[in-house]
Amino acid sequence: MSTPAPQTKEIPYDKIRAVEWENGRLKLIDQRILPGKFEHLYFDHLPDAARAITDMVVRGAPAIGVTAAYAVVLAARDRYKENPNGWQKAIQADLNFLAEARPTAVNLCWAVEYMRGLINAGISGDPTPRLLAEAQRIHADDIAANRHMGELGAALIEPGSGVLTHCNTGALATGGYGTALGVVRAGYAAGKIKSVFADETRPWLQGARLTAWELVQEGIPATLIADSAATYLMKQGKVAWVIVGADRIAANGDTANKIGTYMTAVAARHHGVKFMVVAPTSTVDMNTPDGAAIPIETRAEAEVLNFGGTRTAPEGIQAWNPAFDITPATLIDAIVTEKGVVTNPTRDKMVEMMAR
Ligand code: MRU
């Protein structure tokens, strides 16, 4: 699969936006078909936007949160048009439906509950402009947080280091710029990072399809590896840090992230490779005490039984497809948020960081 030439020239890396609000519509890059095709889809109603989250047109915890905020604007516009006096009541079911689009990434609930709070506090007249301004602020704040985390994370890396990343945590997974991939970008720009390795990230191939695409767009040289090559890569001394994002960080620092993150953390500790989690505080859930309480999404067997749309496993075999796993805080050397860095995370340190 090759990257379509026009994107290389016309969309520099720092201009990639997975989620946009354009002419009163929600506009999403269809991430299911990258890198073979670069296409946008447009949404006018909340149920369609919620389905786009479930179907992974848009994915990545912060990008899902930003999308949800814009989806609430679509619902408020519809409900106000239907009933200017009762829209606040009618929209509650829409918000509940949206919050259930995917279970693990807490940014989705965070955005929905934030917007619900504004609605329930009372908005007089047409709510669309007010809610749109809030969604756009959430979006802008996410980009600003990512840029700041990029600097904080890069500062932890020794010059000349190799790094390994898992899943896609870049502009496609966020409001823009990226979390872990933001650190990769900042670290490469600062001359700290000498080489970048990206896991393929079976079964959905976020690494092979999306991270690889973003790095090619940016002109950052990188090497794609099979997930199963990561341990041997570490054994060879080629990486000093594993840098990943998060879908939910529990109060004690346990972290849910893309399936395969946990095994990478175990391998990293065995080989003396440092492990960094990069996520905005909208991904931190202080109401979830530890990793065992984080709901883990199980996705369709077909994602494992097929590769690139072609059946690769025999008929008659079953598949198990958990989309996320939990990395215990004890395997994490640093959690980087926009509020600062927590090394060797514990509950007390997380409480202190969140209060900053
Ligand atoms: O299933 P996905 O693609 O939504 O999973 C995404 C991840 O696990 C990311 O690592 C996480 O959301 C952080 S994105 C900045």
Side-chain angles (χ1 to χ4, degrees):
M1 287 187 286
S2 62
T3 303
Q7 272 70 59
T8 310
K9 291 206 169 77
E10 291 168 20
I11 307 179
Y13 177 76
D14 63 357
K15 296 247 174 73
I16 295 173
R17 292 291 177 264
V19 186
E20 289 173 277
W21 182 265
E22 192 176 276
N23 300 326
R25 309 181 84 190
L26 172 62
K27 178 181 170 188
L28 301 175
I29 294 176
D30 187 349
Q31 300 192 33
R32 299 168 304 179
I33 57 174
L34 278 172
K37 289 186 191 158
F38 181 89
E39 285 177 9
H40 287 104
L41 297 175
Y42 293 84
F43 300 86
D44 297 303
H45 307 289
L46 178 145
D48 299 328
R51 263 187 294 279
I53 292 172
T54 305
D55 294 347
M56 293 176 64
V57 170
V58 62
R59 30 66 51 203
I64 292 171
V66 172
T67 300
Y70 286 125
V72 174
V73 180
L74 298 176
R77 187 171 65 192
D78 283 345
R79 294 298 180 196
Y80 180 75
K81 221 180 279 171
E82 283 164 18
N83 183 356
N85 296 318
W87 70 271
Q88 284 100 332
K89 193 157 178 244
I91 201 172
Q92 300 299 327
D94 299 319
L95 300 181
N96 298 342
F97 178 73
L98 178 60
E100 283 171 11
R102 287 190 79 189
T104 304
V106 75
N107 306 60
L108 173 60
C109 287
W110 177 89
V112 170
E113 293 315 320
Y114 179 80
M115 298 299 268
R116 194 198 301 271
L118 296 173
I119 291 166
N120 292 351
I123 300 174
S124 59
D126 182 355
T128 316
R130 170 79 200 286
L131 293 176
L132 176 59
E134 290 290 342
Q136 287 173 325
R137 189 189 54 73
I138 288 171
H139 194 171
D141 283 356
D142 187 63
I143 297 169
N146 289 338
R147 293 202 173 121
H148 186 46
M149 293 188 296
E151 287 168 14
L152 293 175
L156 300 174
I157 299 170
E158 290 294 319
S161 296
V163 300
L164 170 66
T165 191
H166 189 71
C167 196
N168 172 264
T169 61
L172 290 168
T174 62
Y177 196 75
T179 56
L181 212 60
V183 171
V184 168
R185 180 182 171 163
Y188 183 77
K192 296 281 192 85
I193 294 177
K194 180 190 69 182
S195 48
V196 181
F197 294 87
D199 281 340
E200 271 185 312
T201 318
R202 276 284 286 155
W204 212 74
L205 300 177
Q206 284 92 337
R209 299 192 304 102
L210 307 179
T211 299
W213 182 77
E214 284 198 36
L215 290 169
V216 167
Q217 301 294 304
E218 177 65 356
I220 296 177
T223 304
L224 187 64
I225 61 168
D227 302 347
S228 44
T231 312
Y232 188 50
L233 180 82
M234 294 178 200
K235 172 79 177 165
Q236 298 214 331
K238 293 197 173 175
V239 289
W241 281 93
V242 174
I243 311 176
V244 300
D247 286 81
R248 190 185 299 220
I249 302 176
N252 70 343
D254 289 354
T255 293
N257 192 49
K258 181 50 54 194
I259 192 74
T261 303
Y262 175 36
M263 71 176 183
T264 313
V266 170
R269 181 57 56 88
H270 181 78
H271 292 94
V273 170
K274 299 277 191 191
F275 195 87
M276 186 192 306
V277 173
V278 188
T281 49
S282 54
T283 304
V284 178
D285 181 5
M286 295 305 280
N287 295 321
T288 298
D290 55 32
I294 298 177
I296 297 293
E297 175 183 16
T298 303
R299 293 189 62 85
E301 292 183 40
E303 290 180 358
V304 175
L305 298 173
N306 298 278
F307 195 93
T310 302
R311 177 92 187 190
T312 47
E315 296 298 334
I317 193 76
Q318 297 174 37
W320 178 51
N321 187 15
F324 302 97
D325 57 27
I326 308 290
T327 299
T330 49
L331 292 179
I332 298 170
D333 293 289
I335 294 179
V336 178
T337 76
E338 79 280 10
K339 291 191 175 192
V341 177
V342 177
T343 53
N344 305 314
T346 61
R347 189 176 195 286
D348 287 349
K349 290 185 186 177
M350 292 297 291
V351 168
E352 187 277 319
M353 180 275 294
M354 291 299 281
R356 276 177 212 164

